[in-house]
């Protein structure tokens, strides 16, 4: 399978709720990274998974968590949603940890009300 | 902390104009510099990856240069077309993760 697919494309949640965002990576891409893009900013690194293990985390609280599965799919979970979590969430996969060859999905737009 | 800055934040040009944007980054601990083109409602599309000081890459009307000693990269678009309208992101890769600038949004008027 080629390309990176994210679901859903749009989502509206209430403050305090929990949300799960999904990403289906390219076959053979062992690394998946998640980014948050708030309005007017560049994408900010949330965390990265390599072969189902977390391999680096940005400046995000523990209520942001992730999972990566053997079938090249992954999840971003956010607990206790806050209004400031409203953003576009991007998933990117790559074959390895070199930092080359990233393929991005088109993102999930999360709105917290 | 790696801080990547892009300028200008936005740019409006006429069809046929040539334009350029700047990406600044700390010159220490540099690994690679990436340029992405991002159209609304689509995925960011990789344009270039550059690693060596003095690198120059070209893809059609778009080219980029890299100066790792002074910590900047330029992206040039020659003869802008309306389909070039997009946000252009630069990012430094560091231990496998990408550190992005805030992007330059280009609008090309017909």
């Amino acid at each position: 399978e080629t390309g990176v697919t994210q679901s859903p494309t749009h989502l509206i949640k209430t403050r305090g709720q929990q949300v799960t965002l999904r990403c289906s990576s390219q076959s053979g891409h062992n690394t998946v990274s998640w980014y948050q893009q708030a309005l007017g900013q560049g994408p900010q690194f949330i965390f990265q998974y390599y072969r189902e293990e977390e391999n680096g985390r940005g400046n995000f609280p523990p209520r942001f968590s992730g999972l990566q599965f053997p079938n090249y799919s992954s999840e971003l979970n956010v607990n206790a949603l806050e209004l400031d979590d409203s953003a576009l969430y991007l998933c990117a996969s790559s074959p390895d940890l070199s930092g080359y060859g990233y393929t991005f999905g088109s993102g999930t737009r999360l709105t917290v009300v | 902390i790696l801080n990547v800055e892009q300028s200008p934040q936005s740019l409006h040009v006429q069809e046929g104009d040539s334009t350029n944007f700047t990406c600044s980054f700390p010159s220490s601990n540099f690994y690679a510099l990436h340029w992405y083109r991002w159209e609304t409602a689509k995925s960011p599309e990789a344009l270039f990856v550059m690693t060596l000081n003095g690198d120059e890459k070209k893809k059609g009307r778009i080219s980029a240069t890299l100066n790792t000693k002074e910590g900047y990269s330029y992206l040039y678009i020659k003869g802008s077309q309306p389909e070039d309208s997009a946000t252009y992101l630069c990012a430094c890769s560091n231990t496998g993760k990408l550190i992005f600038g805030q992007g330059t949004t280009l609008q090309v008027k017909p």
Side-chain angles (χ1 to χ4, degrees), chain A residues 7-24:
Chain A
S7 63
T9 53
H10 295 84
L11 197 54
I12 299 175
K13 287 286 192 177
T14 303
R15 189 171 49 182
Q17 284 188 313
Q18 179 267 343
V19 70
T20 297
L21 310 183
R22 293 182 171 83
C23 174
S24 178

Side-chain angles (χ1 to χ4, degrees), chain A residues 33-84:
Chain A
S33 302
W34 286 88
Y35 293 84
Q36 179 198 65
Q37 192 201 23
L39 201 62
Q41 296 182 24
Q44 301 290 313
F45 175 73
I46 302 174
F47 44 57
Q48 182 183 81
Y49 279 77
Y50 176 70
R51 296 186 184 270
E52 302 161 53
E53 298 285 333
E54 187 177 295
N55 182 61
R57 189 177 184 90
N59 190 26
F60 281 82
R63 58 190 185 84
F64 285 76
S65 62
L67 287 170
Q68 185 186 25
F69 302 103
N71 65 351
Y72 304 109
S73 66
S74 58
E75 292 179 355
L76 164 65
N77 298 289
V78 188
N79 293 323
L81 283 166
E82 300 177 0
L83 297 179
D84 285 349

Side-chain angles (χ1 to χ4, degrees), chain A residues 94-113:
Chain A
S94 64
D96 48 41
L97 293 171
S98 68
Y100 292 91
Y102 275 105
T103 301
F104 278 84
S106 54
T108 293
R109 172 74 61 186
L110 173 66
T111 302
V112 183
V113 297

Side-chain angles (χ1 to χ4, degrees), chain A residues 37 88 90 104-107 109, chain B residues 36-47 61-62 81-89 104-107:
Chain A
Q37 192 201 23
L88 181 71
L90 289 167
F104 278 84
S106 54
R109 172 74 61 186
Chain B
Y36 286 86
R37 180 175 179 275
W38 194 5
E39 291 183 70
T40 304
K42 295 189 178 179
S43 311
E45 171 200 353
L47 291 173
R61 294 179 291 99
I62 305 177
Q81 299 296 309
E83 57 265 30
D84 295 329
S85 298
T87 295
Y88 292 83
L89 290 167
T104 293
T105 299
L106 173 67
Q107 189 71 35

